[in-house]
Amino acid sequence: MVTRSDGLAMGNDAPHTARIAEWCGFALMCLGMFMAILDIQIVATSLPAIQAALGISPEQMSWVQTAYLTAEIVAIPLTGFLTARLGMRWLFVGAVSLFTLASIGCAQSHGFTALIAWRVVQGFAGGTLIPSVFAAVFLLFPPRSQGLATTIAGVAAVLAPTIGPIAGGWLTQTLSWHWLFRVNIAPGVIAAMGAALALRHARHNLRHHRAIDLVALVLLAAALVSLQLGLKDAPTLGWDAPRVLALLAGAALCGVGFVWRTVRSPCPLVELRCFFDRNFAVGCVFSFALGFGLFGSTYLMPFFLGLVREHGPLRIGEIMLVTGVAQLLTAPLAVWLERRVEPRLLTAFGFALFAAGLLMSCRQTAQTDFHQMIAPQIVRGVAIMFCLLPPTRMALGRLPDALVPDASGVFNLMRNIGGAIGLALIDTTIFTRAAHEGAAIGDRLRAGDVATAVSIGIPRDSFLEQRGQPIDDFTVEMIRPLVEKAALVPAINAAWLLAGVLTAVTVLLVVFVRRVGREGDRAADQ
């Protein structure tokens, strides 16, 4: 028998039982995180159904997603503060419970205002779930188990966007849009109750008094909200629009004010000391690039398949499932290699492979479909785990336990900011290039170019009959959708090229990373 410090006796199998409980608790934390990420994707695929059901105007519809993402991006960097005040266990239980409650509220909403209010609550709760899980990897487990734990969390984090379209399409078509939110209830209850029990003996449940700097909190929230809204409006209003410039300038000023205030504070809201570690700083850049490529690819595929190939949500989800399957099959290999190969080499390999997968999609045609998309998806799916596991360990693995929750929040925030900036730049690229390509196609059609007419779907004989004659309004309206669709293809290809080149350039940053020992070396340090 072993005697505890409180005088009670416990069996020799208690440590083993505690480890099993911690793994079960961690798995439930990953379930909660998975539901939070999945929620974004399944709602995105069914926005038209929600719009029709609630009578929401097209101009307001984007706020269903913007409200969630804005609240999430504010919550992510606060994870360290909330962990200190609530403890790891009760932060997760409280966040997943609030997320579940907000999901019920969304499902029961009968109007735009109620839905947006609940989406803000849902996004804030969901935003704390993601970094708390990645922090738990390094707080709950010894170095020899962190590779497996990171893989489980990583699979949950990147699988959700992959299966989101097919899940959202199936729920909407088979049941109703309400089930996009109701699907969170059962897993949320299970995760909250299970984690409350399984993590009750975890050593990082202690609460610490940590004063809140309200000025820093306001500056941080203002900076992130302004950035998110500015990036949302930039592609449609233009980057030089007064509203966009004002929002981005406000984000910059508030961001500088937050950093200045935080660096000088004896009780900082977010521990920026993490950036003194060079590996963490470089890891954040890798996280940013991964967000750019990951969010960008999961946006470009349904964009192309829906607008060019005219597939429905369910078919789009079926096509995109290839990435998730490749990712799952690669996960065991990634864990095995992560324990044996120097992280810098794995990171370089992962980002180079991911860049190749993005660039493989930049030569699509209007006829490109499932079979032509298999190879690029497999390459990207294989690469994702190598873009997530080594950089996460590289960024967080050597930091003191006290800094891990804050560092995890910042690390995950960089991925979200990378995704937000990436989507804004991708949309700008598509809209700008499509307008240019559409004008060029129109000029060639007016000049009587038969090859152009046939390539966009106009019958050869019909075009030859009309060539040289004035074009009436009816003909213009008939041809316009064909021109717009044809113009989208090179525009989307340009966006794929942008994402691929940025990811490829990021590989060069590996030379700035300090060498990190392999698993056995790190285990010896403990």
Side-chain angles (χ1 to χ4, degrees), residues 455-466:
S455 69
I456 69 172
I458 301 175
R460 180 186 180 88
D461 293 340
S462 298
F463 182 75
L464 289 174
E465 290 176 4
Q466 293 290 328

Side-chain angles (χ1 to χ4, degrees), residues 222-239:
L224 294 175
V225 169
S226 298
L227 177 64
Q228 179 73 21
L229 297 181
L231 293 173
K232 171 183 173 292
D233 290 340
T236 52
L237 300 180
W239 288 87

Side-chain angles (χ1 to χ4, degrees), residues 1 32 50 109 114 199 256 263 361 383 419 429 441 461 477 485 516:
M1 300 289 287
I50 298 174
S109 297
L199 297 175
V256 171
V263 169
S361 293
T429 301
I441 293 172
D461 293 340
E477 292 305 314
K485 184 187 296 186
V516 179

